[in-house]
Amino acid sequence: MDYFHRKDGHLWCEEVRVGDLADRFGTPLYVYSQRTFTEHFRKLDAAFSDVPHLVCYSVKANGNLGILRELGRLGAGADIVSGGELVKARRAGIPADRIVYSGVGKTRAELALAVREGIRCVNVENVEELEVLDEVARSIGRRQAVAFRVNPDVDAHTHAHLTTGRRENKFGIPLEEVGRAAEVAARLEALQVVGLDMHIGSQILTPEPYREALRQAREVVAFLRARGFPVEHLDIGGGLAVRYDTEEPMTADEFHEAIIHLVRDLEVTLILEPGRFIIGPAGILVGEVIFVKEAGNRRFVILDAGMNDLIRPVLYGAHHRLEPVVDRPGDPVPTDVVGPVCESGDFLGKDRRLPPLVRGDRVVVFTAGAYGFAMSSQYNQRPRAAEVLVDGTEARLVRRRETWEDLLAAETDLIPGP
Ligand SMILES: *Cc1c(COP(=O)(O)O)cnc(C)c1O
């Protein structure tokens, strides 16, 4: 579900023509529909209204301040994985008591920032981290609430790079280590174990992996409670899938229906950490055709947007739907849509049937709101794209386009400019 539609031969985002945005802000351009992510957040929030719960938006999916601010206003918390994400979530006005912090390699400086900010929970991923966090909290003179992030060893049936809850993944405390973690935590005075956490992967299409993980989690909750830890919340992570092409992901209500019986009797606050589900369908990437080139029986449409703007096609073999921004007449022809970067992996779509595009046409890449801009880079010394947030008839620049000057800004070996 999203608020991108076609009317009179043009692609619209809510009540704004995408072509007009490209004229006004240039390309490559990320465009986000506020109505779309608002609705996705609200649907998930409403689906779980029968239990105490908190939806902590996963900042790593898209950490734009404008988006974070809007989600915070709707009541979302934040799931962060770095000190930088904590800084952004706080700057966007998300209260510290709605922030949970996961990650396998949190540094002392990051943990200290989290303790000083007073965040709701640190999701601890190994026994050493417990000890370091305790030291940090003691030196600051605070107690810190923590949850054990366990690795339930379940197969999320997703792309190998997107699975995080298998024993061979680096994430979480293995189930057989939970006893030792509990023993260590029990004697650390600056820590208070208040929850259990897991995150088994991303782009998960069916409820079964969650159910399997929850069955494991229920045993761990019982184990921890029997040892005197309160376990006030259960965090089931993120991972809900979106539709890129022909997938049939779960709706929020279907997800709730499928898992809630495994949660309700635990009498916990349920925390969810969705990223992609909220922001994925709410974003598009728009590029402009620089050249069209026929070579070796292939038709290459070369855009000004490439893998440095959206790396998912080459990184995960992801299929993103592509269309011209403005209808173009003519029979569809097999087309490779590629970027300008000097890598054969720099493509947005291969062998797509698209109308015969010409120089100056704009192409839209759908479902690019999650892990799009967030994973973009300056590779090939390409300034990063601008980002625009659309709300009804209004379009607001929420990140200006980087410039060639920005490429120089952090470097120290400058000679005086001309
Ligand atoms: C990435 C991540 C998420 C969000 O995953 P989505 O698939 O975008 O919902 C949630 N929790 C943790 C710990 C993560 O690392």
Side-chain angles (χ1 to χ4, degrees):
M1 200 290 311
D2 63 61
Y3 288 94
F4 297 98
H5 65 280
R6 299 199 86 86
K7 193 172 69 185
D8 308 327
H10 289 260
L11 177 70
W12 294 68
C13 174
E14 303 189 10
E15 276 107 75
V16 180
R17 282 211 278 211
V18 171
D20 294 346
L21 295 175
D23 290 342
R24 187 169 150 203
F25 298 105
T27 55
L29 183 68
Y30 274 97
V31 178
Y32 305 111
S33 156
Q34 187 167 319
R35 205 176 279 167
T36 305
F37 67 74
T38 298
E39 210 165 294
H40 283 272
F41 170 79
R42 288 211 172 117
K43 278 186 175 163
L44 198 59
D45 197 36
F48 284 90
S49 58
D50 59 341
V51 292
H53 71 282
L54 177 64
V55 177
C56 290
Y57 167 70
S58 177
V59 174
K60 80 172 190 285
N62 187 323
N64 182 279
L65 285 176
I67 291 168
L68 294 179
R69 187 178 301 279
E70 295 304 332
L71 285 168
R73 278 195 191 128
L74 294 170
D79 160 48
I80 57 164
V81 294
S82 70
E85 290 190 353
L86 177 50
V87 169
K88 289 195 95 173
R90 294 291 292 123
R91 186 62 72 91
I94 296 179
D97 65 3
R98 283 196 239 142
I99 297 178
V100 297
Y101 185 2
S102 309
V104 290
K106 308 178 191 81
T107 64
R108 285 186 93 93
E110 289 178 312
L111 290 170
L113 180 64
V115 172
R116 267 191 250 107
E117 288 284 333
I119 68 166
R120 182 187 190 104
C121 187
V122 175
N123 295 331
V124 172
E125 306 217 12
N126 69 71
V127 174
E128 273 190 324
E129 183 183 345
L130 283 171
E131 285 163 346
V132 174
L133 178 57
D134 180 69
E135 276 170 35
V136 168
R138 265 187 291 135
S139 72
I140 293 170
R142 294 254 183 96
R143 283 193 96 191
Q144 177 62 50
V146 301
F148 291 158
R149 175 172 177 181
V150 294
N151 183 326
D153 192 26
V154 303
D155 187 349
H157 298 289
T158 184
H159 189 282
H161 292 175
L162 296 180
T163 183
T164 55
R166 294 307 301 273
R167 182 188 295 276
E168 61 267 31
N169 300 136
K170 66 182 174 182
F171 300 98
I173 300 171
L175 290 173
E176 65 271 17
E177 283 272 299
V178 171
R180 191 164 75 88
E183 270 168 35
V184 171
R187 62 174 168 77
L188 297 175
E189 279 166 19
L191 302 189
Q192 198 173 11
V193 181
V194 298
L196 187 68
D197 167 56
M198 56 196 198
H199 170 70
I200 56 174
S202 198
Q203 187 62 7
I204 302 170
L205 286 155
T206 64
E208 196 42 43
Y210 288 99
R211 284 200 290 247
E212 231 180 283
L214 276 167
R215 284 182 208 114
Q216 304 281 2
R218 291 172 64 84
E219 288 185 26
V220 181
V221 170
F223 174 90
L224 291 174
R225 282 180 173 166
R227 272 151 194 80
F229 298 106
V231 193
E232 291 151 11
H233 78 247
L234 175 60
D235 183 336
I236 57 169
L240 289 172
V242 300
R243 176 182 215 148
Y244 286 99
D245 185 19
T246 56
E247 304 93 334
E248 298 281 356
M250 293 175 273
T251 66
D253 284 329
E254 286 164 354
F255 179 56
H256 166 268
E257 174 73 26
I259 66 154
I260 199 66
H261 65 286
L262 292 166
V263 175
R264 204 179 266 125
D265 64 320
L266 293 176
E267 295 188 351
V268 286
T269 296
L270 187 68
I271 296 180
L272 302 110
E273 302 175 345
R276 191 187 311 267
F277 181 84
I278 289 177
I279 200 66
I284 57 172
L285 171 63
V286 182
E288 184 170 305
V289 177
I290 309 175
F291 295 118
V292 177
K293 172 164 151 180
E294 311 263 355
N297 289 333
R298 294 191 91 84
R299 181 181 170 83
F300 294 102
V301 165
I302 303 163
L303 301 186
D304 60 2
M307 68 187 287
N308 69 297
D309 300 299
L310 184 71
I311 203 169
R312 300 192 71 262
V314 63
L315 186 58
Y316 305 123
H319 179 104
H320 285 260
R321 210 152 48 79
L322 304 176
E323 283 179 14
V325 169
V326 179
D327 284 357
R328 166 154 294 286
D331 290 336
V333 285
T335 305
D336 285 1
V337 178
V338 303
V341 172
C342 301
E343 294 277 345
S344 292
D346 179 26
F347 62 89
L348 296 171
K350 281 192 177 162
D351 209 17
R352 301 299 183 85
R353 295 189 63 76
L354 289 170
L357 297 164
V358 300
R359 188 146 50 93
D361 283 348
R362 269 87 172 240
V363 175
V364 55
V365 184
F366 285 102
T367 329
Y371 308 105
F373 186 89
M375 292 179 108
S376 69
S377 75
Q378 294 175 334
Y379 184 43
N380 276 208
Q381 301 301 333
R382 299 175 50 75
R384 269 176 289 232
E387 296 178 285
V388 168
L389 183 54
V390 172
D391 181 20
T393 57
E394 302 291 314
R396 179 157 63 93
L397 186 68
V398 286
R399 194 181 211 275
R400 67 162 172 82
R401 180 175 306 290
E402 289 183 356
T403 64
W404 288 329
E405 277 303 310
D406 289 321
L407 300 175
L408 305 171
E411 305 227 4
T412 53
D413 217 9
L414 297 177
I415 56 168

